[in-house]
Amino acid sequence: MIRQTSRKYASAWEQRKLGEIADKVTAKNLDGNITEVLTNSAEYGVINQTEFFDHAVAKESNIAGYYVIAPGDFVYNPRISATAPVGPIRRNTLGIHGVMSPLYTVFRLTDAVDGTYLSHFFKTNGWHGFMKLEGNSGARSDRFSIGDATFFEMPIPVPSSSEQHAIGSFFSRLDNLITLHQRKRLWFAK
């Protein structure tokens, strides 16, 4: 007897450009109403600047030129590190509005792409090849250089909505499980 298996997700994935599913955030903090200064760390993601640097790097007098970042927005940090060879792209999961230095590229999804799926995609190196081909390390060896127009040409694999949700949920549960085991290991080491 031949056993038939059904494939829950058999549809082909689309290849979309980042600029087709997201827009660059250009709104500045001109009125100075938002004072929560955020940064994007390869290791910790989008976090409060004072938590990362142990002090405020930005001054209230100069954050008027910073981009306003909303919950769910993505941030590209061009700073190169051992864990982020072309710089990290992370999502604002803090649930708050903040401001981000204009050295970073902030973008917001405009199409029906699952933000959790895309967040996990950017934790892979699946987009690094494009960056290495289209950009360069620039004059400063610790910064990656790529123009906005080129950056938003980045190809993004986009499965069906239900598959995006399933992938995002799977990797979120996996991340939570890893964090739980790390905490247990630290607790037992005490």
Side-chain angles (χ1 to χ4, degrees):
M1 181 172 152
I2 298 174
R3 186 173 148 191
Q4 284 189 321
T5 59
S6 65
R7 292 182 61 189
K8 187 172 182 176
Y9 302 108
S11 61
W13 289 24
E14 282 185 78
Q15 188 88 333
R16 308 274 305 272
K17 293 178 182 178
L18 181 60
E20 294 173 345
I21 62 170
D23 285 335
K24 181 176 180 178
V25 171
T26 58
K28 301 266 180 120
N29 189 34
L30 298 177
D31 55 14
N33 283 343
I34 300 175
T35 58
E36 190 81 26
V37 181
L38 306 176
T39 192
N40 180 11
S41 156
E43 185 177 355
Y44 303 109
V46 175
I47 60 172
N48 183 297
Q49 187 184 73
T50 56
E51 289 176 25
F52 187 71
F53 293 110
D54 289 330
H55 66 284
V57 176
K59 307 279 186 266
E60 280 194 41
S61 60
N62 69 358
I63 62 172
Y66 278 36
Y67 294 123
V68 175
I69 176 173
D73 285 353
F74 287 83
V75 180
Y76 170 61
N77 178 353
R79 183 147 179 118
I80 297 169
S81 69
T83 59
V86 295
I89 296 176
R90 297 291 186 264
R91 189 174 186 208
N92 176 9
T93 59
L94 299 173
I96 61 169
H97 283 77
V99 293
M100 186 71 68
S101 167
L103 294 174
Y104 301 135
T105 300
V106 179
F107 59 95
R108 183 171 297 143
L109 293 177
T110 57
D111 203 353
V113 174
D114 186 283
T116 303
Y117 160 76
L118 194 59
S119 179
H120 286 291
F121 170 73
F122 285 128
K123 290 179 184 176
T124 73
N125 64 1
W127 56 283
H128 292 184
F130 170 82
M131 296 291 282
K132 289 176 182 176
L133 183 65
E134 299 296 335
N136 61 60
S137 58
R140 290 184 55 185
S141 61
D142 67 336
R143 299 256 180 223
F144 195 84
S145 176
I146 188 165
D148 284 347
T150 304
F151 179 79
F152 283 97
E153 290 290 312
M154 181 191 307
I156 305 292
V158 181
S160 69
S161 293
S162 60
E163 196 167 357
Q164 290 174 50
H165 180 72
I167 291 168
S169 294
F170 172 80
F171 283 108
S172 291
R173 285 192 309 272
L174 188 60
D175 282 351
N176 291 338
L177 187 61
I178 291 168
T179 301
L180 176 66
H181 283 289
Q182 288 172 337
R183 286 182 185 155
K184 279 184 180 178
R185 190 171 58 217
L186 289 173
W187 186 81
F188 284 116
K190 290 181 181 182

